[in-house]
């Protein structure tokens, strides 16, 4: 199995697990504050790990041309998306919102294919639709909510939040070759500060330390580490495929709730599992191969010396195993199986 696929599924598993794990806390933390603390745990934890890794604060490694993409991703994914979702939740039921959230992978894929020109064949489209169908089945309400609002503003706000996260995913893809810890940490920190500020504005109180500590830890793992893995998956798979794999998160979260919390299993769960397993299988068995051209390119990321990385090093630089540095790709034309990764973003 491709390593990037493992990253994407692991990201989905960690994010999906964060919901039942947060439920285990059994706290009365308001939803907006809970979201803020989870994001804050993500941002603070990842930036701390980065400081430990680099033995102090180090430069981001982003080029001047990459900063606008990251700032855009933070604005859409860390500020506009969460705010729109929280507004939408006040005007619609949780069941409707859960169904609407299945729009995110659809919009991510559409933007990737239409705007950013990622490749998509019928097998990938069918796989994505099967995974999304599983998400719809899994989140389908068992009974109509009596308190459901008939206002169109609520669903529209949730749909706008999905669009924001779809834009975020595609913009993050543009900088996915850079330091994943910095990218994920910056996004988590800004999203956490925004959501916590909104929560305090709405009247939320300070959270006790006994609740704060495990919440930040769950945020670090379920949002932070998950986002790092998501960025690494974007690097190797592109936005559409990564979004499709990541949309299995609700199913993986439900599976963890069943195994860990002993929750009951419904027929809808197994139907959703069948759809998602079929969709993932279609993606895993994809084979995309044709003659393509690589243009001259310079960037920085962790790599080994394969057919795409044939460059010289200074005598004092070790090239044994994976290593990271700025390197130049020369123009080359060849034929081999590939994904729309950071080296294969050509038109078809």
């Amino acid at each position: 199995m491709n390593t990037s696929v493992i990253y994407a599924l692991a990201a989905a598993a960690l994010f999906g697990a964060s919901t039942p794990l947060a439920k285990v806390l059994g706290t009365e933390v308001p939803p907006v504050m809970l979201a803020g603390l989870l994001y804050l745990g993500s941002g603070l934890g990842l930036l701390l790990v980065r400081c430990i890794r680099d033995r102090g604060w180090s430069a981001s490694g982003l080029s001047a041309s990459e900063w606008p993409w990251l700032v855009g991703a933070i604005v859409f994914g860390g500020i506009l998306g969460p705010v729109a979702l929280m507004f939408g939740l006040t005007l619609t039921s949780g069941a409707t919102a859960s169904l609407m959230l299945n729009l995110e992978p659809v919009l991510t894929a559409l933007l990737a294919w239409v705007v950013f020109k990622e490749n998509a064949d019928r097998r990938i489209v069918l796989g994505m639709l099967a995974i999304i169908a599983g998400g719809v089945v899994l989140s389908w309400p068992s009974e109509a909510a009596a308190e459901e609002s008939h206002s169109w503003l609520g669903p529209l706000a949730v749909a706008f939040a999905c669009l924001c996260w779809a834009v975020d995913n595609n913009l993050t893809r543009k900088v996915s070759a850079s330091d994943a810890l910095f990218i994920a940490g910056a996004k988590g920190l800004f999203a956490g500060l925004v959501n916590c500020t909104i929560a305090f504005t709405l009247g939320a109180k300070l959270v006790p330390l006994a609740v704060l500590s495990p919440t930040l830890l769950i945020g670090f793992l379920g949002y932070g580490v998950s986002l790092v893995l998501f960025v690494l998956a974007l690097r190797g798979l592109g936005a559409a495929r990564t979004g499709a794999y990541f949309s299995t998160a609700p199913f993986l979260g439900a599976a963890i709730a069943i195994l860990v919390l002993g929750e009951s299993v419904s027929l809808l769960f197994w139907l959703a599992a069948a759809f998602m397993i079929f969709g993932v299988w279609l993606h895993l068995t994809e084979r995309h191969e044709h003659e393509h051209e690589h243009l001259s390119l310079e960037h920085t990321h962790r790599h080994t010396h394969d057919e795409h990385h044939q460059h010289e090093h200074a005598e004092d630089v070790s090239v044994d195993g994976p290593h990271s540095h700025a390197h130049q790709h020369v123009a080359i034309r060849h034929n081999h199986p590939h994904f729309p990764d950071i080296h294969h973003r050509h038109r078809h």
Side-chain angles (χ1 to χ4, degrees):
M1 184 184 296
N2 185 285
T3 304
S4 297
V5 173
I6 297 175
Y7 288 149
L9 292 175
L14 283 172
F15 183 74
S18 65
T19 299
L21 288 178
K23 183 178 178 180
V24 171
L25 295 176
T27 62
E28 296 296 328
V29 181
V32 181
M33 177 60 79
L34 180 60
L37 292 177
L38 291 171
Y39 276 119
L40 205 57
S42 160
L44 293 175
L46 292 179
L47 293 179
L48 176 61
V49 169
R50 186 172 184 270
C51 286
I52 294 174
R53 182 197 67 183
D54 298 342
R55 298 179 182 179
W57 182 257
S58 59
S60 67
L62 291 171
S63 65
S65 63
E66 290 177 316
W67 274 104
W69 299 115
L70 179 58
V71 171
I74 291 174
V75 170
F76 279 97
I79 299 176
L80 296 179
V83 170
L85 177 62
M86 296 309 163
F87 176 74
L89 288 175
T90 64
L91 297 175
T92 188
S93 70
T96 298
S98 296
L99 290 172
M100 293 293 296
L101 287 173
N102 287 290
L103 278 175
E104 182 186 343
V106 177
L107 295 174
T108 295
L110 288 176
L111 285 176
W113 296 335
V114 176
V115 178
F116 295 94
K117 306 303 180 183
E118 274 191 23
N119 167 258
D121 56 29
R122 281 180 289 184
R123 188 182 192 87
I124 291 300
V125 173
L126 180 60
M128 186 200 72
L129 292 176
I131 293 171
I132 292 168
V136 171
V137 169
L138 191 67
S139 56
W140 195 266
S142 56
E143 57 184 24
E147 71 278 7
E148 175 72 27
S149 169
H150 295 285
S151 170
W152 56 270
L153 280 177
L156 183 63
V158 177
F160 179 71
C162 292
L163 177 61
C164 289
W165 285 318
V167 173
D168 169 23
N169 293 338
N170 280 278
L171 295 183
T172 301
R173 171 185 179 267
K174 302 288 287 186
V175 296
S176 58
S178 301
D179 186 0
L181 278 176
F182 178 82
I183 294 170
K187 291 174 70 175
L189 184 62
F190 275 93
L193 292 174
V194 168
N195 280 276
C196 286
T197 300
I198 293 173
F200 283 125
T201 302
L202 296 175
K205 307 297 182 184
L206 290 175
V207 177
L209 183 61
V211 175
L212 179 64
S213 299
T215 303
L216 292 177
L217 178 60
I218 292 173
F220 170 66
L221 296 172
Y223 283 55
V225 177
S226 173
L227 185 52
V228 170
L229 294 171
F230 186 86
V231 173
L232 293 176
L234 284 173
R235 185 181 297 177
L237 297 175
R241 289 162 177 80
T242 301
Y245 283 119
F246 191 76
S247 63
T248 62
F251 166 73
L252 296 173
I256 290 170
I258 291 168
L259 295 174
V260 177
L261 304 181
E263 295 187 2
S264 60
V265 183
S266 67
L267 179 61
L268 288 180
F269 174 82
W270 294 115
L271 181 59
F275 274 119
M276 289 191 169
I277 290 172
F278 176 62
V280 169
W281 175 79
L282 286 174
H283 279 221
L284 289 177
T285 53
E286 173 198 12
R287 183 177 177 85
H288 180 71
E289 180 177 0
H290 60 89
E291 187 177 52
H292 55 277
E293 182 177 6
H294 295 268
L295 301 178
S296 179
L297 170 69
E298 182 175 358
H299 60 181
T300 302
H301 67 94
R302 189 172 175 83
H303 63 277
T304 56
H305 281 194
D306 55 20
E307 60 182 322
H308 296 104
H309 298 89
Q310 299 295 329
H311 47 260
E312 299 295 330
H313 293 77
E315 293 183 359
D316 59 340
V317 176
S318 173
V319 296
D320 295 331
H323 54 285
S324 179
H325 61 86
H327 55 277
Q328 179 79 33
H329 290 269
V330 297
I332 183 176
R333 189 174 186 85
H334 59 181
N335 185 331
H336 66 94
H338 57 277
F339 291 102
D341 57 28
I342 56 176
H343 298 110
H344 297 91
R345 295 180 176 173
H346 47 263
R347 293 182 181 272
H348 293 76

